Amino acid sequence: MIQSPTAGFRPAVPLDSATAPSIAHGPAAEPTRVLARFEDWARRTPQAPAVIDATRTWTYRDLDAAAARVAAALGDRVRPGDLVGVCLDRSAALVVTAVALARIGAVYLPLGPRPGERRTQAVTEDLDVACLIGDPGVLPEAHRGGDHAPLPLPTEGVNAPATAVAAFSDAVRGTRRAPEGSLYAVLTSGSTGRPKAVAVAEASLSVALDWYRAETGLAPGDRQSLLIGVAFDPHLLELWAALTSGAALVPAPDDTRWDSRVLTDWWRDTALTHAVAATPTVEPLLDRPWPQGLKLRHLVVGGDRMRRRPGADVTATVHNAYGPAEATVLTTAHTMRGTDPEAGDQAPPPIGTALPGVTLVVTDEEGRPVARGQEGELRVGGHCLALGYLDPELTARRFTAPPREAELPAVDRLYRTGDRVRMNADHSLDFLGRLDDQVKISGVRIEPVEVEAAFEQDPRVRTAVVTVLRDSSGHGRLVAHVRAADGADPAPAELLDAVRAWLPEQAVPTAIRIVDGFPLDANGKVDRPALAALARSEAPETHRTGTAGAPADADTDAGATPTERLVLTTVRDLLGRPGTALSDNFTDTGGTSIIAARLLAAVEAETGVRLRAPELLRSPDLRTFAALVEQRRTPRPEGA
């Protein structure tokens, strides 16, 4: 375990004896085993389903045997403690890989099914990654033509790879290894412009899993979603919660994340009993009647601020969860049911109370606990804490010693979350925002400086500054303000294409402004609020040619049909880009999975026409999509 050095603190300021400090402890917890619990279920219920999709079921015996074969295929080339980059999607192949690496003692490093070439290169340059596992066709160039070891992974079912290999490359290999005892490592946004990796031990994950099983009753016969994107750590909660409960995992098709109605249809069709989902995905469901016929009993929601409580018609128990990757997925949760007196309230619910083994401390700028009811920075300690970052210096800055004046005898480290919270009398927390420049976009933590650094890798870019614009409902989008290098005249479309190789989907800006310079504040620093104000008042230039704020085509509005105007107005509002044209492609103009879901919901609300995400994504431009909407809403003549 990486230990943080003891940090110095100023003398304590005595709190009023009648005012309790903002310190809370969850129930006692003791770490258990993760892999051993799966292996116990494989022995006890070998014929029970472990992974189910539309075409195939893998039993616990099948999964156990497949993992053994993969571990044998990796042989002595992957050793205990080695980092292994996993480039697979939600599938039986992913589940087998996770079990195989745990059995070897290797460290599972999820990179997602289509990792950006440059982002993966940066990771392998910094970290000592032994190999990448995935379809050779999607691996980065440095690993595409290297030494490949074929792996006997499942190639059937949802999101399955056509083939899978372990790709080894000595040409690109960093030096940082995972701390001893790591089960997995995940990437988080890095303030240096490069992603940073945080390592988590089996014991820490086991505490979160024990809470999940106890809270939701997940057991044999139940079905658990495998829905969260593989590059993000909550998918590990889904994966191992099922495998340590004797339940079955159900991998989600990709279009479930684009359309909330497709998501609920999938819940119904697969008879899911337990699900984990990102807050922006679930929010549209709470704005309309809860779907009928669901077997879903528990829904864990997290990743972004929840803006309202579920209504009285919601039949599932909803858990509003909070937790950074540095504290092993979950640290607090607030449980809500349709029978609650507060059901349907439009006010944001709290992010909950401390889970077992978790200590919460709300502190001032000096690290001292503030009085209950006051705002401050949330610091987290206990069994939930990660081992640390693979960068020891960063670990020392973010994982600090507890304040001397706080009575925390069993806590030796606290993680500084950078989140602004308030602790209530019942020890629950209200989330109030961030204390630094880090932002949440579609539930993913993003450092604007990392996005800026991705732009500045391009020789045509001299400097980039990224700001966040939010609409009236609080949804955020990124805008890049780019100053071109001397003599360069980059097209915004080309710049966006270039940064996609460096960034996850949520971190790619929806718009680019080409600027001659940046406004400065009184301290000589870039005035980001002023830049954001300019972006709000202008139509940022994006993929299209033409002047910012003006339609790219003369027919953008003139002569447009009512349906075309509906689609165009909705997309412009969602993207914050008044210059969007009917000839623009939805994805190329900055459309994401979350924005697609909101567009489809808005179109259905206005027209009654329900379209699926693939129909939007296959449309070459917005005019074609509008025509499809018009075709579906126009009754066919009799006999046609």
Side-chain angles (χ1 to χ4, degrees):
M1 176 178 291
I2 298 177
Q3 296 290 340
S4 301
T6 301
F9 290 88
R10 297 184 181 180
V13 175
L15 293 170
D16 189 308
S17 59
T19 304
S22 293
I23 299 175
H25 304 279
E30 287 297 328
T32 55
R33 302 300 301 272
V34 175
L35 179 64
R37 288 186 68 96
F38 159 74
E39 292 175 334
D40 183 48
W41 284 113
R43 287 190 296 269
R44 291 166 56 189
T45 58
Q47 299 303 324
V51 180
I52 300 173
D53 68 24
T55 60
R56 172 75 192 272
T57 297
W58 288 265
T59 66
Y60 272 80
R61 174 180 291 166
D62 294 335
L63 187 56
D64 185 61
R69 290 192 294 270
V70 170
L74 292 172
D76 58 2
R77 302 191 66 177
V78 174
R79 301 179 301 276
D82 281 352
L83 281 162
V84 176
V86 179
C87 306
L88 297 169
D89 207 345
R90 305 170 300 263
S91 62
L94 177 78
V95 181
V96 170
T97 299
V99 174
L101 294 179
R103 186 164 286 167
I104 293 171
V107 183
Y108 173 94
L109 175 64
L111 299 177
R114 289 168 291 278
E117 184 103 13
R118 296 294 184 86
R119 183 176 175 84
T120 307
Q121 181 182 348
V123 170
T124 53
E125 286 175 351
D126 292 346
L127 308 181
D128 184 10
V129 177
C131 66
L132 299 182
I133 291 178
D135 189 320
V138 303
L139 296 180
E141 185 177 355
H143 290 79
R144 201 173 298 147
D147 182 9
H148 291 176
L151 296 179
L153 287 170
T155 54
E156 301 173 88
V158 170
N159 304 321
T163 184
V165 300
F168 298 84
S169 174
D170 293 328
V172 181
R173 192 153 179 174
T175 58
R176 290 177 178 161
R177 293 180 59 81
E180 183 178 353
S182 301
L183 175 67
Y184 71 86
V186 291
L187 301 181
T188 66
S189 188
S191 59
T192 62
R194 297 171 78 89
K196 57 182 185 271
V198 61
V200 176
E202 180 182 24
S204 296
L205 181 62
S206 75
V207 173
L209 295 174
D210 291 347
W211 169 83
Y212 187 93
R213 289 191 300 268
E215 184 70 16
T216 69
L218 185 64
D222 287 332
R223 297 187 177 193
Q224 167 69 53
S225 68
L226 186 57
L227 171 67
I228 300 295
V230 173
F232 309 113
D233 60 317
H235 88 275
L236 285 150
L237 180 74
E238 296 181 286
L239 190 153
W240 287 109
L243 297 186
T244 58
S245 303
L249 275 168
V250 185
D254 195 54
D255 61 353
T256 55
R257 68 190 185 102
W258 292 83
D259 188 330
S260 58
R261 289 192 182 273
V262 174
L263 175 65
T264 53
D265 285 348
W266 176 69
W267 287 348
R268 181 185 296 106
D269 295 343
T270 57
L272 274 184
T273 58
H274 295 68
V276 177
T279 307
T281 304
V282 172
E283 279 185 329
L285 300 178
L286 305 181
D287 292 331
R288 55 178 183 258
W290 187 252
Q292 300 300 303
L294 298 181
K295 293 188 176 181
L296 192 70
R297 303 200 307 271
H298 289 272
L299 173 61
V300 176
V301 180
D304 209 338
R305 186 179 185 184
M306 201 171 190
R307 293 171 173 81
R308 55 159 295 179
R309 292 174 180 265
D313 61 336
V314 176
T315 54
T317 298
V318 179
H319 308 268
N320 185 31
Y322 162 87
E326 292 84 349
T328 316
V329 188
L330 295 165
T331 55
T332 67
H334 178 71
T335 298
M336 296 171 286
R337 298 176 176 86
T339 55
D340 294 342
E342 306 89 354
D345 280 1
Q346 296 299 309
I351 57 174
T353 54
L355 298 189
V358 174
T359 291
L360 307 173
V361 185
V362 184
T363 71
D364 60 18
E365 293 181 355
E366 306 301 330
R368 298 168 300 194
V370 300
R372 199 77 55 81
Q374 293 183 0
E375 299 178 9
E377 179 183 8
L378 175 61
R379 303 190 188 210
V380 180
H383 289 305
C384 63
L385 282 195
L387 295 172
Y389 299 104
L390 272 61
D391 178 349
E393 293 182 3
L394 181 59
T395 300
R397 290 198 300 271
R398 298 304 296 269
F399 292 81
T400 64
R404 293 174 183 171
E405 60 271 19
E407 296 182 4
L408 302 170
V411 175
D412 61 348
R413 298 183 305 153
L414 291 173
Y415 169 68
R416 299 188 60 178
T417 66
D419 288 328
R420 185 165 56 91
V421 301
R422 177 177 52 241
M423 185 175 290
N424 301 309
D426 62 356
H427 293 171
S428 67
L429 294 178
D430 293 327
F431 181 80
L432 305 175
R434 290 289 301 173
L435 292 168
D436 54 22
D437 291 334
Q438 194 178 77
V439 297
K440 283 276 187 80
I441 300 294
S442 299
V444 178
R445 284 192 297 163
I446 293 168
E447 296 271 6
V449 69
E450 181 179 7
V451 184
E452 293 164 2
F455 278 98
E456 290 166 3
Q457 297 287 338
D458 194 312
R460 297 168 295 179
V461 175
R462 181 174 180 179
T463 312
V465 176
V466 172
T467 60
V468 182
L469 298 185
R470 298 193 181 275
D471 60 22
S472 58
S473 62
H475 295 286
R477 58 186 178 85
L478 298 179
V479 176
H481 312 261
V482 174
R483 184 180 179 186
D486 292 343
D489 185 21
E494 295 173 354
L495 294 179
L496 282 179
D497 287 342
V499 298
R500 283 192 174 98
W502 288 97
L503 302 170
E505 175 195 4
Q506 292 85 349
V508 177
T510 60
I512 293 179
R513 297 178 66 243
I514 305 297
V515 299
D516 296 326
F518 303 109
L520 304 179
D521 61 18
N523 296 318
K525 297 181 179 180
V526 173
D527 191 338
R528 292 174 183 266
L531 275 176
L534 286 171
R536 278 191 293 270
S537 63
E538 300 174 0
E541 186 179 354
T542 58
H543 274 244
R544 295 171 292 101
T545 58
T547 58
D553 300 319
D555 63 351
T556 296
D557 296 298
T561 67
T563 304
E564 288 174 340
R565 285 196 294 272
L566 167 65
V567 169
L568 197 55
T569 300
T570 305
V571 171
R572 286 172 173 175
D573 289 344
L574 292 174
L575 294 178
R577 291 185 43 238
T580 302
L582 287 169
S583 57
D584 284 335
N585 175 271
F586 173 76
T587 304
D588 288 346
T589 54
T592 65
S593 57
I594 298 298
I595 292 174
R598 294 169 66 193
L599 170 61
L600 294 169
V603 168
E604 181 178 3
E606 289 293 328
T607 68
V609 174
R610 180 184 175 190
L611 295 175
R612 297 294 181 95
E615 294 175 300
L616 169 62
L617 302 180
R618 286 195 297 263
S619 298
D621 53 35
L622 296 177
R623 180 180 286 106
T624 304
F625 175 68
L628 184 59
V629 175
E630 186 67 29
Q631 177 186 340
R632 297 285 176 85
R633 74 187 297 186
T634 304
R636 293 187 178 185
E638 292 187 9

